[in-house]
Amino acid sequence: MTQPPGKKLWGGRFAEETAPLVEQFNASVGFDQRLFAQDIRGSLAHVAMLGRVGVLQPGEVAEITAGLHAILADIQAGAFEWRLDREDVHMNIEAALRERIGPVAGKLHTARSRNDQVAVDFRLFVKEAALELAALTRELRRVMVREAEKHLSSAGGQPIILPGYTHLQVAQPILLSHWFMAYAAMLERDEGRFRDAAARMDESPLGSSALAGTPWPIDRHDTAAALGFARPTANSLDGVGSRDFALEFLAACSILMAHLSRLSEETVLYSTFEFGFLTLPDSHTTGSSIMPQKKNPDVSELARGKAGRVFGNLMGLLTVVKGTPLAYNKDLQEDKEGVFDSFDTCAIVLRLYAEMLPRSVWNAEATLKAAGRGYSTATDLADHLARAGVPFREAHEVVGGLVGLASRSGRQLWELSDEEMRAAHPLLSAEVAQSLTVEASVAGRRSYGGTAPERVREAVEAAKAALG
């Protein structure tokens, strides 16, 4: 039995056909067809439960189940026609089922509304997306830890030293491995946010029906378990009318992209001729249509730019839900495109960085030279005085004066004479000044979480154990 032209599955009370412009404006099938697998899984769980509780006969269950499997096969084979006049993924599949098996298809919708149907489909997708991004984040974290371990020894057997910055001014020398482990720490929290979000959204709204539940003797715990949820939602209004699970997912995506955007900014800077710290692989860079010498860090720049669209998706959905009364409103059709886009964006950026970083080459000579600029060991000199009993604020002022003296004469601290050092403070000397190497500075930062080689090795080993 086919659906009459222009007649909607919900159109019993309507005397006119839907206006073409309304049909175009109302339809979501152009993007929500992506939920076809979740929709069919939800329907299979629902029809099986209806059979178990005696609402449907075994033959009806078998017929509907076979029809759904056949439709799934058609979609996966690219042989399914998605029709705009059927509005969304749910109505397309239901109408196709009716065409395939006849009126018995209508029994599938017993004790179910499109409201809880779309809610369960979307929760399934977002939960799976959160877990997939958690896994991809973990893999990039694993890459960061491997790179940290690799760069604890350069070609000469020494760790690669990088200038550490505050305000984008040279601050103190650090190990490149310490830099990698900072991003590994961020990604560990990002992974945790996705897993936390997946655990919190692990509830099935199926069986909430339109908003108030149903008089049918359904078993919501049965369908929740069949779909891999930990439990059913406790409140039917909340089950169909809330999208905070999607908001939490988008928030986790946004924080992840903020971290990846910071990484991108540093990758762009460090790969410039002016810095010269990093050579990106040809496979992950592009050229210019007019300037033959150019090698552009397009992956990093695009990742930095795409952070904005992910942030926008979060703000867009927050704006959608802030004024919607309980329970379901058509506004909530706007929940999906931003989630799909954020998932796709985060997934490809994570994969790209996992590919690109191990193929990138660091210039240890350039980073070491840069780490010694800008009087980066001045704090070590102040600490020397403080260890000798000089109040740190006094030591800070003494060393600040020496930095001023050195900068006015275009010298480094270790180039100051014995007389100049002793004039600043009797506990200082040229010998003390000459000990102010970046290697000694790095080696001395032995506090827990610091950049000293032994501390970074400990952090790497701990991270490897945590990653398994």
Side-chain angles (χ1 to χ4, degrees):
M1 179 182 294
T2 59
Q3 181 184 342
K7 186 69 172 177
K8 306 294 186 185
L9 293 178
W10 44 259
R13 76 164 302 251
F14 291 82
E16 294 181 85
E17 292 184 5
T18 307
L21 196 58
V22 173
E23 205 157 69
Q24 179 184 339
F25 186 61
N26 193 49
S28 59
V29 68
F31 55 84
D32 69 13
Q33 62 182 261
R34 184 168 180 169
L35 297 174
F36 72 86
Q38 290 82 6
D39 191 70
I40 291 175
R41 281 169 57 197
S43 291
L44 287 169
H46 184 65
V47 73
M49 178 274 297
L50 291 179
R52 277 191 285 274
V53 300
V55 171
L56 295 184
Q57 297 302 309
E60 295 171 325
V61 172
E63 196 172 356
I64 293 170
T65 299
L68 289 169
H69 280 299
I71 289 170
L72 178 60
D74 284 350
I75 296 172
Q76 291 171 333
F80 186 87
E81 180 190 3
W82 296 102
R83 286 175 45 177
L84 188 72
D85 63 324
R86 289 174 176 174
E87 298 179 18
D88 57 28
V89 59
H90 324 290
M91 302 301 274
N92 266 267
I93 290 173
E94 184 177 344
L97 183 66
R98 190 168 180 172
E99 290 173 353
R100 184 178 291 269
I101 66 172
V104 70
K107 294 194 174 186
L108 172 61
H109 213 55
T110 306
R112 186 177 72 168
S113 163
R114 243 195 317 180
N115 293 354
D116 60 339
Q117 187 177 1
V118 66
V120 76
D121 292 359
F122 195 39
R123 266 193 200 249
L124 279 170
F125 178 89
V126 179
K127 177 186 164 186
E128 291 159 4
L131 292 174
E132 183 169 345
L133 289 184
L136 289 171
T137 301
R138 189 178 187 85
E139 185 52 39
L140 180 56
R141 180 178 153 214
R142 196 185 304 277
V143 167
M144 293 289 185
V145 174
R146 286 187 193 131
E147 290 297 294
E149 185 172 37
K150 178 171 76 178
H151 294 298
L152 278 171
S153 294
S154 63
Q158 297 299 315
I160 295 180
I161 294 177
L162 185 73
Y165 297 91
T166 60
H167 309 278
L168 207 54
Q169 305 293 314
V170 173
Q172 293 176 333
I174 60 171
L175 293 186
L176 173 59
S177 300
H178 196 54
W179 179 85
F180 273 111
M181 291 304 293
Y183 281 105
M186 296 179 212
L187 291 168
E188 181 178 13
R189 296 191 296 274
D190 290 322
E191 179 189 346
R193 272 183 279 271
F194 284 120
R195 295 196 187 281
D196 288 347
R200 231 180 322 277
M201 70 178 76
D202 200 12
E203 299 180 334
S204 172
L206 188 59
S208 298
S209 199
L211 75 160
T214 176
W216 292 90
I218 62 171
D219 186 343
R220 293 191 62 211
H221 290 84
D222 177 280
T223 51
L227 292 170
F229 286 109
R231 56 199 166 270
T233 51
N235 182 281
S236 58
L237 282 171
D238 179 57
V240 299
S242 293
R243 293 296 185 270
D244 54 345
F245 65 92
L247 289 169
E248 188 171 7
F249 173 78
L250 289 173
C253 289
S254 296
I255 297 170
L256 169 66
M257 285 302 295
H259 290 155
L260 295 176
S261 184
R262 297 181 74 185
L263 173 65
S264 299
E265 172 69 8
E266 293 198 277
T267 320
V268 170
L269 283 173
Y270 292 168
S271 63
T272 61
F273 279 107
E274 289 76 11
F275 277 80
F277 295 172
L278 177 64
T279 301
L280 297 172
D282 289 354
S283 56
H284 289 67
T285 50
T286 63
S288 164
S289 63
I290 188 172
M291 295 171 284
Q293 81 280 12
K294 293 295 295 298
K295 182 176 178 179
N296 298 327
D298 280 7
V299 167
S300 296
E301 290 175 348
L302 271 173
R304 186 177 59 187
K306 285 178 182 293
R309 68 190 290 158
V310 174
F311 300 166
N313 291 333
L314 171 60
M315 296 311 299
L317 186 55
L318 280 168
T319 306
V320 166
V321 302
K322 73 171 183 61
T324 51
L326 289 172
Y328 182 82
N329 301 269
K330 193 68 171 182
D331 312 48
L332 296 184
Q333 183 169 290
E334 293 297 304
D335 58 0
K336 296 172 194 65
E337 288 178 281
V339 166
F340 295 159
D341 180 67
S342 291
F343 168 67
D344 292 341
T345 300
C346 289
I348 195 168
V349 173
L350 287 166
R351 290 190 177 102
L352 282 166
Y353 266 112
E355 289 180 356
M356 184 172 75
L357 290 175
R359 301 181 192 182
S360 301
V361 178
W362 291 85
N363 185 338
E365 185 178 341
T367 59
L368 180 62
K369 185 177 179 180
R373 295 188 189 127
Y375 309 101
S376 65
T377 58
T379 306
D380 299 273
L381 187 56
D383 286 336
H384 171 81
L385 288 172
R387 281 194 296 272
V390 178
F392 185 82
R393 284 301 171 203
E394 181 183 336
H396 186 285
E397 185 172 353
V398 168
V399 176
L402 286 170
V403 169
L405 173 64
S407 65
R408 286 190 295 275
S409 58
R411 291 176 291 170
Q412 294 292 337
L413 285 174
W414 55 80
E415 295 175 316
L416 295 176
S417 68
D418 195 66
E419 293 76 13
E420 288 168 324
M421 294 292 286
R422 292 188 187 280
H425 199 280
L427 292 174
L428 298 179
S429 65
E431 183 180 1
V432 171
Q434 288 161 12
S435 70
L436 298 173
T437 64
V438 292
E439 292 88 350
S441 176
V442 167
R445 309 259 166 211
R446 297 188 184 92
S447 57
Y448 178 78
T451 195
E454 63 265 36
R455 288 290 174 259
V456 177
R457 284 193 181 91
E458 289 172 0
V460 167
E461 292 303 319
K464 286 167 62 180
L467 287 164

